[in-house]
Amino acid sequence: MDGGELSGEERLIARYFRPLAHHAGALGLIDDAALLTPPEGMDLVLTTDAVVGGVHFFPDDPPDQIACKALRVNLSDLAAKGARPAGFLLTLAIPEGIGDEWLAAFAAGLGRDAERYGCPLFGGDTDRTGGPVTVAITAFGVLPRGTMVKRTGAHVGDDIFVTGTIGDAALGLKALRGGATVLDAAAREHLIARYRLPEPRNAAAHAVRTHASAAIDVSDGLAGDLMRLCRASAVSAEVEVDRIPLSAAARQVVAADPREMQTILAGGDDYEVLATVPPEKAAAFRSACAAAGVPAQAIGRIVPGEGSARFLGPDGKPLALERTAYSHF
Amino acid sequence: MDGGELSGEERLIARYFRPLAHHAGALGLIDDAALLTPPEGMDLVLTTDAVVGGVHFFPDDPPDQIACKALRVNLSDLAAKGARPAGFLLTLAIPEGIGDEWLAAFAAGLGRDAERYGCPLFGGDTDRTGGPVTVAITAFGVLPRGTMVKRTGAHVGDDIFVTGTIGDAALGLKALRGGATVLDAAAREHLIARYRLPEPRNAAAHAVRTHASAAIDVSDGLAGDLMRLCRASAVSAEVEVDRIPLSAAARQVVAADPREMQTILAGGDDYEVLATVPPEKAAAFRSACAAAGVPAQAIGRIVPGEGSARFLGPDGKPLALERTAYSHF
């Protein structure tokens, strides 16, 4: 038979994804595998997270946003570990009916973010599915040997910091579902944008690696993720709710209904970094974050205990939360 | 709030997947990410492949077989690149209705293969989906720096080898779909087993790395994958169809209907290694494979050309293939 024929999958890869695979290790996406030559003296950090249509995004969300979200949730994990992004692998399962226009927009979004975060495509796999669009990404980052920031390093007395603002994405999701009707249009848009497109804190990775004793990215809710870090470190946490950084839009929601603090604390999709920092390093951490353009706010401290987290109201009494984290299970 | 609560996902991970994550770099699956300290002087080979219910397996296939297939299709890529498996990351999207029994069997199968192939779980992500079970695995392997066997290294005059036997899985899928009724029961079972559970040729990885000029795993069909290798290497191939190794069951099918050679050459799911080997290394390659317990058979040679592959019948005339590879697109 004659050569030169390309299968549908090869055509798709050549057209949409090869332009994103400019790293030599990607081998132009013509091989079964990618090649990674680890820099001397560096460790690799590996993380994988998927986004599923109807679960993590709405099927009619703009395809470039879906692509960006899929990559960014992984970049956020690298940021919390203090690693610099080095590349990613993509698995994309698409139903019949997804055509060239969708794929072109998806690849364009992915390419923009790959460029922006210095995280090129190394390889991947495209598949048909009878289900929703499913995007599974494995990202890898690098950092000097032995310096990965784990969940397990928090000590009693450490300050608890969060970057950015908390709760916007969860309130945005609620707004998309028809809730939070008290919001003005600009506030509503702000919250929805935060849900659709997280801003991973990779700019703060160096500050985290240099100063934090433990860290986690806030993806399932501040309360639940803080408890995870505490359990892993065999400590507990006390947070002053008034110190949790909120956007103007989120403050608007809470002013109208103080019970929305529940959504803010346990809603998820923040993709901010939660870090514990020894008090003697707190000022340096705050400056390093500020220098990187990332706001960081101390919200409480690590106390003795076994994995609990208390959220203290303005009266010093603990809030009673109905749930602590978002879970699909 | 009190500590100690685990989300549904954490419980699932702790119960089913933590036992598979005994490598120190997996951090007991309690972190956002895994830690990989690359051995000095080694390269990493990264590969990712997903299997989707209704596309790559039947939804009611035994869950341990689904798990094994998902891992093995990735191990097969590592084998073809000459890499030793080092670990993998798992993304598992499951619909409502998948319960503990299914998950326990899935994890048991995955654990058996992780042990068997020396490829421990490093991390992962579990998600809900409104679609079919989707298993995306990223596997990584190691080999001495600069020794990865690519698709691009084939030269005119090289012998073309394949391991094992070709076509069994494609005929097995056909049998499952009600075809190939001429088969006796044992032959039918053999072919179906080969479809359900590939045997990746990791035992031959060292032989491939030491002797092959180029290699690819045969996953989409011998004809199509050989053409891919030829295109990547800017050469062509001539294969003598009579030399292609067939199982007794496949020979039974072809004896009854010679047109089934089309299925064998272009059916896919073989997960054998196709390697090109310079003639002066052919004997050593064959011995090294034999010593590793992997049959390897020379089926043709690389000739000048631009990515075509000719399959010559017993009369020396090229077969006309209707298609060259299986594609879901």
Side-chain angles (χ1 to χ4, degrees):
Chain A
M1 97 213 66
D2 289 327
E5 303 164 36
L6 292 176
S7 75
E9 182 177 8
E10 284 171 297
R11 245 185 278 268
L12 188 158
I13 291 169
R15 184 159 181 184
Y16 298 115
F17 296 115
R18 189 159 299 147
L20 281 59
H22 49 76
H23 192 286
L27 304 172
L29 302 188
I30 58 167
D31 219 299
D32 302 300
L35 181 62
L36 185 61
T37 302
E40 287 294 327
M42 304 294 269
D43 281 342
L44 289 175
V45 175
L46 306 170
T47 186
T48 188
D49 262 315
V51 297
V52 179
V55 178
H56 303 93
F57 59 88
F58 293 91
D60 59 352
D61 276 352
D64 57 334
Q65 278 188 15
I66 297 170
C68 293
K69 184 161 192 175
L71 183 56
R72 290 182 183 194
V73 300
N74 282 283
L75 289 167
S76 180
D77 280 325
L78 295 181
K81 302 295 100 184
R84 180 172 59 76
F88 72 103
L89 298 139
L90 166 74
T91 293
L92 175 63
I94 49 178
E96 296 279 347
I98 291 283
D100 280 347
E101 202 181 339
W102 193 98
L103 284 164
F106 181 89
L110 201 57
R112 277 198 308 273
D113 267 11
E115 198 67 38
R116 177 175 170 183
Y117 293 98
C119 192
L121 178 66
F122 267 66
D125 183 35
T126 52
D127 300 285
R128 278 280 177 228
T129 177
V133 169
T134 303
V135 191
I137 282 181
T138 297
F140 46 97
V142 293
L143 39 64
R145 190 149 295 174
T147 64
M148 186 178 113
V149 182
K150 300 175 187 171
R151 288 189 189 176
T152 48
H155 287 101
V156 171
D158 286 352
D159 287 328
I160 301 167
F161 279 89
V162 289
T163 59
T165 59
I166 297 295
D168 293 334
L171 296 173
L173 176 59
K174 220 163 173 174
L176 273 174
R177 288 177 169 159
T181 46
V182 297
L183 287 167
D184 66 51
R188 190 170 184 279
E189 276 316 298
H190 170 80
L191 297 178
I192 289 172
R194 287 271 289 164
Y195 168 73
R196 285 222 169 106
L197 209 51
E199 294 277 349
R201 296 305 190 172
N202 298 82
H206 186 264
V208 170
R209 179 160 65 73
T210 313
H211 303 293
S213 56
I216 186 171
D217 81 319
V218 183
S219 55
D220 294 334
L222 177 64
D225 287 326
L226 175 56
M227 286 172 60
R228 282 180 186 153
L229 182 146
C230 285
R231 278 201 302 271
S233 294
V235 295
S236 286
E238 269 184 8
V239 170
E240 291 161 55
V241 170
D242 275 0
R243 297 173 73 190
I244 296 172
L246 302 185
S247 68
R251 282 198 302 269
Q252 210 182 107
V253 174
V254 173
D257 183 355
R259 289 171 304 177
E260 289 292 1
M261 191 51 84
Q262 163 76 46
T263 307
I264 287 169
L265 293 178
D269 271 331
D270 296 293
Y271 299 105
E272 297 291 351
V273 174
L274 172 72
T276 59
V277 180
E280 68 276 15
K281 291 181 157 186
F285 176 70
R286 198 183 280 106
S287 318
C289 285
V294 177
Q297 167 78 38
I299 60 169
R301 71 209 64 77
I302 296 297
V303 298
E306 298 197 348
S308 73
R310 296 201 307 161
F311 288 83
L312 307 176
D315 55 0
K317 288 188 186 155
L319 301 189
L321 294 184
E322 290 156 31
R323 61 185 177 83
T324 62
Y326 190 79
S327 172
H328 296 293
F329 288 89
Chain B
M1 97 212 70
D2 289 327
E5 303 163 35
L6 292 177
S7 76
E9 182 177 8
E10 284 171 298
R11 245 185 279 270
L12 187 159
I13 290 168
R15 183 159 181 185
Y16 298 115
F17 296 114
R18 190 158 297 149
L20 281 59
H22 48 75
H23 192 286
L27 305 172
L29 301 188
I30 57 166
D31 220 299
D32 302 299
L35 182 61
L36 184 61
T37 302
E40 286 295 325
M42 304 294 268
D43 281 341
L44 290 174
V45 175
L46 306 169
T47 187
T48 189
D49 263 315
V51 297
V52 179
V55 178
H56 303 93
F57 59 88
F58 292 91
D60 60 351
D61 277 351
D64 58 335
Q65 277 188 14
I66 296 169
C68 293
K69 185 162 191 175
L71 183 56
R72 290 181 184 195
V73 300
N74 282 282
L75 289 168
S76 180
D77 280 326
L78 295 181
K81 302 295 100 184
R84 182 172 59 74
F88 72 103
L89 298 141
L90 166 74
T91 292
L92 176 63
I94 49 179
E96 296 279 348
I98 290 285
D100 279 347
E101 202 181 339
W102 193 98
L103 284 164
F106 180 90
L110 201 58
R112 277 199 307 274
D113 265 12
E115 197 68 37
R116 177 174 170 184
Y117 293 97
C119 192
L121 178 66
F122 266 66
D125 183 35
T126 52
D127 300 285
R128 278 280 176 229
T129 178
V133 170
T134 303
V135 192
I137 283 182
T138 297
F140 45 98
V142 293
L143 40 63
R145 191 148 294 174
T147 64
M148 186 178 113
V149 181
K150 301 175 187 171
R151 288 188 189 176
T152 48
H155 287 101
V156 171
D158 286 353
D159 287 328
I160 301 167
F161 279 88
V162 290
T163 60
T165 58
I166 296 296
D168 293 334
L171 295 173
L173 176 58
K174 219 161 172 173
L176 273 174
R177 287 176 169 160
T181 46
V182 298
L183 288 167
D184 66 49
R188 191 171 184 279
E189 275 316 297
H190 170 79
L191 297 179
I192 289 172
R194 287 271 287 165
Y195 169 72
R196 284 222 169 106
L197 208 51
E199 294 277 350
R201 296 305 191 172
N202 299 82
H206 186 265
V208 170
R209 180 161 65 73
T210 312
H211 302 293
S213 55
I216 187 172
D217 81 319
V218 183
S219 55
D220 294 333
L222 177 64
D225 286 326
L226 175 55
M227 286 171 61
R228 282 179 187 154
L229 183 146
C230 285
R231 278 199 301 271
S233 295
V235 294
S236 286
E238 269 184 8
V239 169
E240 292 162 53
V241 171
D242 274 1
R243 297 172 75 189
I244 296 172
L246 302 185
S247 68
R251 281 197 301 271
Q252 211 183 106
V253 174
V254 173
D257 183 355
R259 290 170 304 177
E260 289 291 1
M261 190 51 82
Q262 163 76 46
T263 307
I264 287 169
L265 293 179
D269 271 332
D270 296 293
Y271 299 105
E272 298 291 351
V273 174
L274 172 71
T276 59
V277 180
E280 68 275 15
K281 291 180 156 187
F285 176 69
R286 197 183 279 105
S287 316
C289 285
V294 178
Q297 166 79 37
I299 60 169
R301 71 208 65 76
I302 296 297
V303 297
E306 296 197 350
S308 72
R310 297 203 305 161
F311 288 82
L312 307 176
D315 55 2
K317 288 190 187 152
L319 301 190
L321 294 185
E322 290 157 32
R323 60 184 178 85
T324 62
Y326 190 77
S327 172
H328 296 293
F329 288 89

